[in-house]
Amino acid sequence: MNPDHYIQLLYKKLSDNLTLEERKALEQWLQESEENKAIAKQVAISWELGAGFERENNDLEIDLDLEFGRLEKMLPEEEIQAPTLTRKTNYTWLKIAAGLALLVGFFFLVKNNLTTVPDWVIVQTTAQEKQEISLPDGSTVYINENTTFRYPEFFNQAERIVHLSGEAFFEVTKNPEQAFHVETPLGKVSVVG
């Protein structure tokens, strides 16, 4: 049977969606040759590389046949028809390699082009405790007792946003290009100058 069928079964196995009949067929195929076991190992590696990866754009689809065709055109003909393997086996390996290359490339593209999300710093004061905080933009916040104040480690957007539950006094550093917003349970206060 076509190795692509077994690759599909390998993915179903990794996502715990195999029927008993499919599991038996896959185990038999794996026992047939070391090459089949190597294919299974590569599929498992690609599965692990993609673990925990969430795409924000659910409409993204990768056409492996198209990408394989592009990869095949870049390789010399003698590499595609290796003497020890059949062309069909090479096609399968190249599809796996192209899929892995696309997955890794897409991961780095997303990682390097998405805006970095800063970690938030949380400051809580107790009764009879007050604190003075310097924000990343140079602003100063004087936090009163029984107050929770949350701010990002750095401001990386068109506006500076902080969160306040309680009482505080702000000395905001002037920056007309980046508004300063204080979000509270009762509403939002903005400094725009």
Side-chain angles (χ1 to χ4, degrees):
M1 190 175 277
N2 185 347
D4 291 346
H5 170 73
Y6 293 104
I7 291 171
Q8 296 279 342
L9 291 181
L10 287 167
Y11 281 117
K12 286 179 77 172
K13 178 183 178 187
L14 290 167
S15 60
D16 293 327
N17 290 327
L18 269 183
T19 65
L20 183 60
E21 184 179 301
E22 290 172 330
R23 185 175 302 277
K24 288 179 183 177
L26 180 61
E27 291 301 323
Q28 181 180 354
W29 179 76
L30 288 171
Q31 298 303 319
E32 288 177 4
S33 73
E34 290 300 314
E35 184 179 349
N36 293 351
K37 290 178 185 176
I39 291 171
K41 185 176 180 179
Q42 290 298 319
V43 169
I45 290 170
S46 71
W47 182 266
E48 289 176 26
L49 287 173
F53 181 78
E54 295 179 353
R55 289 181 280 169
E56 291 190 18
N57 182 355
N58 291 331
D59 297 333
L60 177 68
E61 291 184 23
I62 299 174
D63 184 347
L64 286 180
D65 289 328
L66 175 68
E67 296 303 325
F68 171 73
R70 291 179 183 164
L71 181 63
E72 191 174 38
K73 288 178 184 176
M74 292 188 294
L75 292 174
E77 188 65 28
E78 58 272 4
E79 286 187 30
I80 295 173
Q81 295 180 354
T84 57
L85 301 173
T86 64
R87 182 170 174 84
K88 193 173 194 177
T89 303
N90 278 339
Y91 180 76
T92 301
W93 278 104
L94 286 174
K95 279 178 68 173
I96 292 170
L100 285 173
L102 284 171
L103 182 64
V104 170
F106 184 73
F107 172 75
F108 283 109
L109 177 72
V110 169
K111 182 180 176 186
N112 292 332
N113 288 328
L114 288 180
T115 304
T116 304
V117 178
D119 289 331
W120 287 81
V121 178
I122 299 174
V123 179
Q124 289 182 312
T125 58
T126 59
Q128 300 176 356
E129 177 187 12
K130 297 179 182 182
Q131 285 195 27
E132 178 180 330
I133 305 292
S134 293
L135 298 180
D137 68 341
S139 297
T140 304
V141 182
Y142 302 93
I143 302 171
N144 208 353
E145 57 190 40
N146 295 322
T147 297
T148 301
F149 180 68
R150 189 165 59 101
Y151 65 95
E153 286 183 333
F154 58 90
F155 297 109
N156 65 347
Q157 299 175 347
E159 53 190 7
R160 301 170 284 175
I161 299 175
V162 297
H163 299 270
L164 175 69
S165 178
E167 297 177 353
F169 175 78
F170 293 84
E171 289 179 0
V172 178
T173 301
K174 186 176 181 178
N175 184 349
E177 296 168 0
Q178 194 178 31
F180 190 93
H181 302 286
V182 181
E183 294 185 356
T184 72
L186 300 175
K188 183 177 179 180
V189 177
S190 299
V191 178
V192 202

